[in-house]
């Protein structure tokens, strides 16, 4: 079984321009994500998945300078970019890591890889972690199934396409009570998020890779920091889009199952 760690990253953000290249205690945000990925075990390669847009060329340079692979794919269709990268590198499973999350949980990411190897599900999620601290595992055949049938082109938010127990074998890992803080934002969508992240990282030695546990301890000791980005809300799909996706799966259930079976049996 081949497993790839795929870091999705682009430089198109308007809320926090070129955020992935911003310095965070000695490394850029994207370099922190790469460094965390080097602490994961059981995967074959780390691949930075960015787009063919020339604007994203600095990310290619980051990948080269940090001795990892890179892949250039679709600008808007994140799932197609992931699938094309998975096919190119011949992966059976991909661990999906978001490039703006420099505190994602190394511990739980390793648990996901272990679960992939033991149980081979289609989709694994972690429930309860702060926003920006989870990664996800996808069976590449499940990814191919969705890319074959989906109507959505902008798939930056793709969870509702896979969280389909009527179609896929979905497994969840429950975060321990200390880590269960689903309303806490530890990502970098807005300037306020980056301000909080900087405050956290400045408590650690320059260029270090703090654990999520240590970062949460800092916040427990300094609860006033939580106000820095408390007014920001995580982006999500609107009700109309969710309803459209739900209706599509209901109306096309049998066709999707048939397609899935063909892909899983290597008939397509």
């Amino acid at each position: 079984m081949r497993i790839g760690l795929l870091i999705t990253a682009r430089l198109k953000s308007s809320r926090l321009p070129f955020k992935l290249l911003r310095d965070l205690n000695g490394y850029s945000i994207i370099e922190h994500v790469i460094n965390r990925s080097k602490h994961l075990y059981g995967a074959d390669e780390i691949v930075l998945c960015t787009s063919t847009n020339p604007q994203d060329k600095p990310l290619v340079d980051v990948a080269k300078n940090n001795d990892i692979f890179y892949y250039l794919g679709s600008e808007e269709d994140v799932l197609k970019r992931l699938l094309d990268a998975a096919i190119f590198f011949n992966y059976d499973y991909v661990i999906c890591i978001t490039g703006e999350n420099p505190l994602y949980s190394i511990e739980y990411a390793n648990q996901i890889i272990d679960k992939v190897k033991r149980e081979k599900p289609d989709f694994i999620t972690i429930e309860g972690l702060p926003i920006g601290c989870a990664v996800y595992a996808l069976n590449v055949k499940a990814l191919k199934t969705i890319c074959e049938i989906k109507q959505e082109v902008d798939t930056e938010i793709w969870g509702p396409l896979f969280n389909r127990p009527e179609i896929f074998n979905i497994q969840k890992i429950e975060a321990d009570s200390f880590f269960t803080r689903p309303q806490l934002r530890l990502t970098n969508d807005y300037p306020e998020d980056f301000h909080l992240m900087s405050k956290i990282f400045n408590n650690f030695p320059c260029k270090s890779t703090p654990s999520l546990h240590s970062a949460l301890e800092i916040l427990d000791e300094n609860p006033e920091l939580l106000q820095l980005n408390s007014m920001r809300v995580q982006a999500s799909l609107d009700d109309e889009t969710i309803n459209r996706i739900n209706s599509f799966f209901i109306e096309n259930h049998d066709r999707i199952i048939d397609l899935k079976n063909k892909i899983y049996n290597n008939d397509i």
Side-chain angles (χ1 to χ4, degrees):
M1 178 191 298
R2 281 181 53 77
I3 300 174
L5 306 179
L6 303 190
I7 301 172
T8 54
R10 291 213 50 205
L11 295 177
K12 67 173 184 175
S13 174
S14 58
R15 295 186 293 260
L16 189 58
F18 291 88
K19 59 187 175 184
L20 300 185
L21 302 180
R22 292 194 175 210
D23 182 80
L24 187 63
N25 199 26
Y27 283 125
S28 65
I29 289 175
I30 190 63
E31 286 177 307
H32 277 293
V33 174
I34 292 169
N35 289 338
R36 296 184 89 72
S37 301
K38 290 179 179 179
H39 286 78
L40 304 187
Y41 56 82
D44 290 276
E45 289 102 13
I46 304 170
V47 183
L48 195 155
C49 294
T50 190
S51 86
T52 55
N53 190 318
Q55 180 188 46
D56 293 322
K57 172 64 166 57
L59 293 173
V60 172
D61 297 333
V62 170
K64 291 178 178 178
N65 292 337
N66 285 272
D67 297 317
I68 66 169
F69 293 100
Y70 64 89
Y71 185 86
L72 308 182
S74 172
E75 288 190 52
E76 301 301 328
D77 194 338
V78 175
L79 289 181
K80 186 177 188 308
R81 193 191 315 160
L82 290 172
L83 176 61
D84 290 347
I87 292 172
F88 181 85
F89 287 97
N90 194 31
Y91 293 138
D92 300 293
Y93 278 84
V94 293
I95 309 301
C96 305
I97 302 167
T98 304
E100 62 196 32
N101 296 337
L103 278 175
Y104 81 80
S105 173
I106 295 171
E107 174 186 349
Y108 282 102
N110 279 324
Q111 286 187 32
I112 279 186
I113 295 173
D114 286 341
K115 202 170 185 66
V116 162
K117 292 189 170 185
R118 291 194 318 268
E119 304 178 30
K120 300 179 177 64
D122 293 320
F123 179 41
I124 306 179
T125 66
I126 307 168
E127 290 198 333
L129 290 181
I131 295 166
C133 296
V135 303
Y136 307 89
L138 284 173
N139 183 332
V140 172
K141 290 182 177 180
L143 180 55
K144 184 176 181 180
T145 301
I146 290 298
C147 285
E148 288 278 351
I149 60 95
K150 69 179 179 64
Q151 296 179 316
E152 312 303 314
V153 176
D154 184 347
T155 55
E156 185 171 355
I157 301 175
W158 49 259
L161 293 169
F162 284 95
N163 194 12
R164 298 284 162 184
E166 74 276 18
I167 304 290
F168 297 117
N169 174 5
I170 296 173
Q171 298 192 18
K172 298 177 181 178
I173 296 174
E174 299 283 346
D176 293 341
S177 58
F178 178 79
F179 293 97
T180 301
R181 313 181 191 209
Q183 304 307 314
L184 174 60
R185 291 181 57 82
L186 292 178
T187 185
N188 283 287
D189 281 336
Y190 298 95
E192 295 89 345
D193 294 329
F194 182 69
H195 189 190
L196 173 61
M197 199 67 69
S198 296
K199 291 287 188 181
I200 294 171
F201 270 79
N202 287 343
N203 283 275
F204 299 96
C206 183
K207 294 189 174 183
S208 62
T209 303
S211 68
L212 175 58
H213 190 283
S214 297
L216 292 177
E217 286 183 327
I218 295 296
L219 293 177
D220 288 343
E221 295 166 3
N222 302 274
E224 70 280 1
L225 295 179
L226 298 175
Q227 300 304 312
L228 292 176
N229 68 345
S230 61
M231 75 297 294
R232 291 302 186 181
V233 177
Q234 185 69 3
S236 61
L237 295 178
D238 59 82
D239 291 342
E240 180 181 349
T241 301
I242 292 175
N243 290 336
R244 184 177 67 246
I245 292 173
N246 289 339
S247 296
F248 176 82
F249 275 90
I250 292 171
E251 294 167 4
N252 294 275
H253 177 269
D254 292 346
R255 182 170 73 87
I256 296 169
I257 291 294
D258 181 61
L259 175 64
K260 177 197 170 190
N261 290 337
K262 289 178 180 178
I263 289 174
Y264 278 58
N265 292 326
N266 296 316
D267 293 333
I268 296 180

